[in-house]
Amino acid sequence: MNQPRLLRLWRQMPKRRTAAITVVAVSLVAITAVVRSAESDHTTRIVIGSSTTDDESTATGQQAGDPPVILPGRPGESSEVRPGSDVVIDPPQYNAVDTWYVQMMIPHHTQAVQMAALAAERTDHVGVRAFADRIRASQAAEITVLKSWLAARDLPAGDHDHDTMPGMQTEQAIRELAAARGAGFDSRFVAMMTAHHEGAIEMSERVLTGGSDLAIEELATSIAAEQTVEISRMQELLVS
C-alpha cells in the first residue's frame, strides 16, 4: 500500500468514526423514547400527513429537532421510525369501574370520618383516640382527592345505594355507637371500624382488577394496604 493511499485512509477515519457515533447516538435516543413511552399507560397515536409549519411547530412545542420514535409493527412486520413530532400522546383513560369506585368511596370514607369524630368525647383510651384522629386526617385527605378526580372529569358525585356498600354501617348502629361511652364505646368502635375497613378493602380490590385509571389504581392500592394494617392495629388496641 503506497503512502498517498494511507494518507487518504487516515484522513477519512475521523469522518467514519463521527458517522458511526452519530448513528449510535440516534439509536440510543430512539430506544429511550420507546422505553419511556412503554412505561406510561398512555395511548400513542400517529398524526399522518401533517402540514405543520415551523411557526406552528414552535407554538405547539413540537420542534423540528424532536427525537425519533420507534413504533413496533404488527406480528411479522418490521418496526417503523418516525419523527417525534408525528407522535401524539392521548390522556390517560378511565372506565365505569373507576367511576363507581370513586363515587362509592366518597360516602364510604365520609362515614368513617364521622365515626372517628365520635371518639373524642366518648373514649378514655388514649390509643383509641389517637387512632381515630389518624383516620379522620387520612380519610378526609383522600376524600378531597376523590372529589377532585370527579371534578376534573365533569362527573357527578353519584346516587348509589349507600346501604349496599361493603362495610357501611346502618344509621341505627351509628346511633348506638354515639350513645356508648368508655370501654363500651371502644369495643363497639373497633368492631364497626374493622367491618368498615374490610368493606373498603373489598371495593379497592374490585377496582384493582376492573379499573383502568393509573391514579385510581395507586390510590386503591394505598387504601387497601393501609387499612389492612389498621385492622391489625385496632385488634391490638383492645388488648393493650
Side-chain angles (χ1 to χ4, degrees):
M1 185 178 293
N2 56 37
Q3 185 174 356
R5 184 178 180 185
L6 287 174
L7 183 59
R8 287 196 303 271
L9 289 175
W10 174 253
R11 290 174 177 174
Q12 291 173 359
M13 286 179 64
K15 296 181 181 179
R16 294 177 178 176
R17 289 198 299 270
T18 300
I21 292 172
T22 301
V23 171
V24 172
V26 171
S27 300
L28 289 175
V29 170
I31 293 171
T32 300
V34 171
V35 171
R36 289 178 177 174
S37 176
E39 289 176 345
S40 67
D41 193 36
H42 296 169
T43 302
T44 302
R45 294 186 290 112
I46 306 176
V47 180
I48 304 296
S50 174
S51 59
T52 304
T53 64
D54 291 342
D55 291 341
E56 291 173 341
S57 297
T58 302
T60 58
Q62 294 181 345
Q63 304 294 334
D66 287 345
V69 176
I70 298 178
L71 300 173
R74 296 179 180 179
E77 297 181 356
S78 59
S79 301
E80 179 182 7
V81 178
R82 298 196 63 86
S85 58
D86 284 358
V87 179
V88 178
I89 305 299
D90 284 337
Q93 301 299 311
Y94 63 92
N95 60 22
V97 179
D98 297 309
T99 303
W100 164 85
Y101 177 77
V102 175
Q103 292 174 336
M104 297 281 272
M105 193 57 73
I106 290 174
H108 198 276
H109 269 25
T110 299
Q111 187 181 70
V113 171
Q114 294 170 345
M115 291 167 57
L118 296 174
E121 299 179 356
R122 291 168 175 80
T123 182
D124 299 322
H125 197 298
V126 175
V128 171
R129 185 179 294 108
F131 184 81
D133 289 342
R134 172 184 173 84
I135 290 177
R136 291 176 64 184
S138 63
Q139 297 204 21
E142 289 169 352
I143 289 173
T144 300
V145 173
L146 293 165
K147 288 182 176 179
S148 297
W149 189 91
L150 290 176
R153 292 156 181 79
D154 294 324
L155 296 173
D159 187 23
H160 300 282
D161 184 2
H162 298 164
D163 293 336
T164 63
M165 279 190 280
M168 284 291 282
Q169 303 298 301
T170 64
E171 293 183 2
Q172 178 61 30
I174 297 296
R175 287 194 292 268
E176 293 175 355
L177 178 64
R181 296 292 187 279
F185 174 87
D186 297 341
S187 60
R188 190 179 295 271
F189 174 80
V190 168
M192 291 173 63
M193 192 62 76
T194 297
H196 202 272
H197 274 30
E198 290 173 344
I201 294 171
E202 178 183 337
M203 293 167 63
S204 296
E205 291 174 344
R206 190 178 305 177
V207 76
L208 288 174
T209 58
S212 61
D213 186 271
L214 282 178
I216 296 305
E217 178 183 341
E218 293 174 359
L219 180 61
T221 300
S222 175
I223 289 174
E226 182 177 358
Q227 296 203 13
T228 297
V229 172
E230 289 180 346
I231 289 175
S232 299
R233 290 178 178 172
M234 282 190 285
Q235 303 306 315
E236 295 172 356
L237 288 174
L238 294 181
V239 298
S240 60

